[in-house]
Amino acid sequence: MSTTLLQMRGIMKTFPGVRALDGVDLEVRTGEVHCLLGQNGAGKSTLIKVLAGAQRPDGGTIEWGGDTVSARSPAAAMKLGIATIYQELDLVDGLSVAENIFLGHEPTTVGFARRAEMRRNARRLLERLGHGEIDPAREVGELSSASKQLVSMARALSLDARLIVMDEPSAVLAHDEISGLFRVIEELTRQGIAIVYISHRLDEIREIGDRITVLKDGRTVAEGLPAADTPTERVVSLMTGRSMVSAFPERNSVSAPEQQSELLRVAELSRTGEFEDISFTVRGGEIVGIAGLVGSGRSEILQTVYGARKPRSGGVELAGGRLPPGNVRAAVRAGMGLAPEERKSQALVPYESIAHNVSLAALGRYARLGWVDRTGEQAAAEEVTTALRLQPSDTKQPVRVLSGGNQQKAVVARWLLTDCRVLLLDEPTRGVDVGAKAEIYALVRELADSGVGVLLVSSEIPEVLGLSDRVLVLREGRIVRESPADEIDEAEVLDLFIEGSAA
């Protein structure tokens, strides 16, 4: 029978003007997967930073193995046996797998690292995870996202971790890679290692979790619920404070493709090694979803349509006018916008204000003789962010203070200032909680109902099917089926991913 490994009781943490944790409780047992749930801003990140020694609590107690402890630094937490794998992996791409695993605690002789020993030990740790095929001498930057996750886990094992915190570990993984991640987690728990698993994907929680703790507004609202037996409706209600309703807005009959004019036409678009002969259309008021595994070419198609990549052949037309290939400026001027997959690194300037981030694509409107009309920029940003119900509403704050869902709203708001006619959305709800997802879905549908054409890419098949009017199924760089969203189900999509037949 498992025993209590970690007890956090009454944890408090206050930042200027904000009480992030207001008496949070968490109990974790040896060999279990304990799922920590809550909306963005509920306090999950602050709690794991307190556990990892990155933040000092203002109150409360932490017991480890029955003894009261104080993890005053990350080094102190690691010495106890607590390892944290953050969503943004802290690996060094230019170093080898072995060097990353032992970074900061390398075996040395007279100041020199014993590299052969590091590689041997790294291979042993990877074999313990069931992935001895990963070469310890290979540079981490050459690895897939799934393999990088495994390197981070091996690093945790190298520190003799007894508890591993995983923050959104599946966010960048394909469907088959998630299954592999779960197999590794099951092996770790069989070895008695406890896992604290954070995810917004409730289907994952039911599959991998043993118990659930739910945070809301910096407080624990439920602790130790059985993951397999707790209805999804109750989990959502605990997280949001309201009963569960359908996350996807109803399709408006006005959005029916046959009733709208064609806005976007993609014809026989190809890029060597990425995708071949891609052809489709998007009409005004229509949401077209692309379903495909990671590596199938879905994001590359969006980037090529947008002009960020140059195709080998084929073309793109917007409202009847052909766009010059590989020309983002021309696409934006014609009325196209892109909300990319990695909003923090590809779409936002974190330390700039919300207003400046929102106005970036339309900055020419507020520039005169090399000077920016900040008053006009601010007023326009406030108008569009108010319409999108962005919180907090003070657009002078840096955009980095926003939750994931509100950052996504800020990216969409940018294109509303440019009179966008076709909006490309790449993973629009990645890292976004269940409540914010529903808000983003409603926003996308409102945009479509106003006449905007939307092209959507998502790793979550239910999201593609639930939000789209029409679906394109992509496999190995080719469209293998096109269908109205209500005439295809998740099982059929998965079969097409595997078989590739245009059933």
Side-chain angles (χ1 to χ4, degrees):
M1 183 175 177
S2 60
T3 58
T4 298
L5 176 64
L6 170 73
Q7 281 261 21
M8 302 180 80
R9 287 285 174 255
I11 302 299
M12 310 282 289
K13 183 63 183 179
T14 302
F15 298 102
V18 178
R19 176 158 286 183
L21 300 176
D22 191 11
V24 170
D25 298 331
L26 175 67
E27 183 222 29
V28 182
R29 299 170 183 168
T30 58
E32 78 165 338
V33 178
H34 197 111
C35 300
L36 184 61
L37 306 182
Q39 296 193 84
N40 291 116
K44 304 187 303 296
S45 295
T46 304
L47 184 66
I48 64 173
K49 285 177 182 176
V50 168
L51 178 59
Q55 296 280 358
R56 291 193 183 185
D58 300 324
T61 61
I62 302 175
E63 291 186 8
W64 180 255
D67 297 324
T68 301
V69 298
S70 177
R72 294 184 172 275
S73 67
M78 286 188 283
K79 189 173 181 179
L80 288 171
I82 300 168
T84 302
I85 302 174
Y86 293 100
Q87 185 176 354
E88 311 267 343
L89 297 178
D90 55 348
L91 300 175
V92 182
D93 283 349
L95 296 182
S96 71
V97 168
E99 289 167 333
N100 269 279
I101 289 173
F102 292 99
L103 189 63
H105 60 289
E106 303 89 342
T108 59
T109 299
V110 197
F112 292 93
R114 300 196 294 270
R115 299 190 182 280
E117 181 181 339
M118 275 201 302
R119 287 194 290 272
R120 283 195 303 273
N121 291 339
R123 186 174 297 282
R124 209 169 289 129
L125 291 169
L126 291 165
E127 287 173 349
R128 184 176 166 188
L129 293 171
H131 285 270
E133 77 280 359
I134 297 176
D135 183 359
R138 190 176 179 186
E139 280 194 13
V140 159
E142 299 174 356
L143 300 180
S144 67
S145 296
S147 294
K148 287 181 178 180
Q149 289 276 10
L150 289 163
V151 173
S152 291
M153 291 184 203
R155 177 194 286 178
L157 294 180
S158 76
L159 297 165
D160 296 322
R162 297 169 63 195
L163 183 150
I164 302 176
V165 179
M166 298 183 180
D167 187 6
E168 295 283 353
S170 66
V172 296
L173 303 184
H175 188 273
D176 57 331
E177 293 173 329
I178 293 173
S179 299
L181 170 68
F182 287 175
R183 285 194 294 272
V184 171
I185 289 174
E186 288 167 357
E187 177 58 34
L188 291 173
T189 56
R190 276 196 292 270
Q191 297 171 23
I193 295 170
I195 306 292
V196 173
Y197 191 93
I198 300 172
S199 177
H200 292 307
R201 298 177 175 178
L202 300 185
D203 56 331
E204 291 182 2
I205 301 307
R206 195 170 305 283
E207 182 176 351
I208 194 65
D210 294 306
R211 295 191 301 148
I212 297 170
T213 289
V214 183
L215 304 187
K216 184 178 184 298
D217 299 330
R219 297 182 178 91
T220 301
V221 294
E223 184 182 10
L225 299 176
D229 301 328
T230 304
T232 299
E233 291 82 357
R234 187 183 178 202
V235 174
V236 172
S237 178
L238 287 166
M239 289 171 62
T240 65
R242 57 183 184 269
S243 60
M244 185 176 180
V245 296
S246 175
F248 301 107
E250 289 186 14
R251 296 183 178 92
N252 192 326
S253 59
V254 175
S255 299
E258 64 273 10
Q259 297 181 16
Q260 302 295 316
S261 60
E262 182 179 288
L263 281 179
L264 178 69
R265 172 173 288 272
V266 176
E268 299 178 348
L269 203 66
S270 299
R271 264 182 65 90
T272 303
E274 293 180 349
F275 53 85
E276 289 290 331
D277 298 325
I278 300 297
S279 298
F280 61 87
T281 61
V282 179
R283 296 179 179 272
E286 182 183 28
I287 302 174
V288 176
I290 300 179
L293 297 175
V294 172
S296 62
R298 54 193 192 175
S299 294
E300 291 80 3
I301 290 171
L302 255 64
Q303 292 165 9
T304 305
V305 169
Y306 184 60
R309 295 172 181 244
K310 196 168 184 177
R312 184 190 73 233
S313 59
V316 178
E317 293 182 7
L318 182 55
R322 190 175 180 87
L323 296 178
N327 191 323
V328 170
R329 180 175 293 183
V332 172
R333 284 177 175 171
M336 188 180 292
L338 169 67
E341 179 179 8
E342 299 293 339
R343 56 180 172 265
K344 289 184 179 179
S345 61
Q346 297 175 352
L348 298 173
V349 186
Y351 289 90
E352 288 287 348
S353 69
I354 297 168
H356 187 59
N357 273 275
V358 168
S359 68
L360 273 176
L363 206 55
R365 292 186 180 184
Y366 313 104
R368 298 289 183 275
L369 301 174
W371 296 91
V372 176
D373 174 12
R374 295 297 182 190
T375 302
E377 177 191 38
Q378 188 79 29
E382 287 177 359
E383 181 179 352
V384 71
T385 53
T386 298
L388 297 184
R389 299 178 293 278
L390 187 142
Q391 294 293 332
S393 57
D394 181 4
T395 59
K396 293 180 182 178
Q397 293 193 64
V399 77
R400 63 185 173 85
V401 306
L402 299 179
S403 67
N406 282 292
Q407 286 183 355
Q408 191 66 34
K409 286 184 182 180
V411 176
V412 173
R414 172 183 302 164
W415 298 112
L416 298 186
L417 286 183
T418 65
D419 298 323
C420 181
R421 305 169 77 181
V422 173
L423 181 60
L424 314 180
L425 298 175
D426 195 353
E427 300 286 3
T429 63
R430 171 167 289 173
V432 171
D433 66 69
V434 64
K437 277 186 177 182
E439 291 182 359
I440 291 173
Y441 296 154
L443 169 60
V444 173
R445 177 49 67 187
E446 286 173 16
L447 289 172
D449 289 345
S450 71
V452 174
V454 178
L455 182 61
L456 163 77
V457 161
S458 175
S459 298
E460 299 186 32
I461 300 172
E463 183 168 275
V464 174
L465 298 179
L467 191 56
S468 304
D469 299 301
R470 187 157 47 92
V471 174
L472 310 174
V473 182
L474 195 68
R475 182 179 185 272
E476 295 179 354
R478 293 182 181 273
I479 295 173
V480 294
R481 181 165 172 185
E482 179 176 344
S483 170
D486 55 5
E487 294 180 11
I488 188 170
D489 60 28
E490 186 171 357
E492 289 178 281
V493 173
L494 287 171
D495 284 344
L496 289 165
F497 286 171
I498 297 167
E499 300 298 333
S501 60

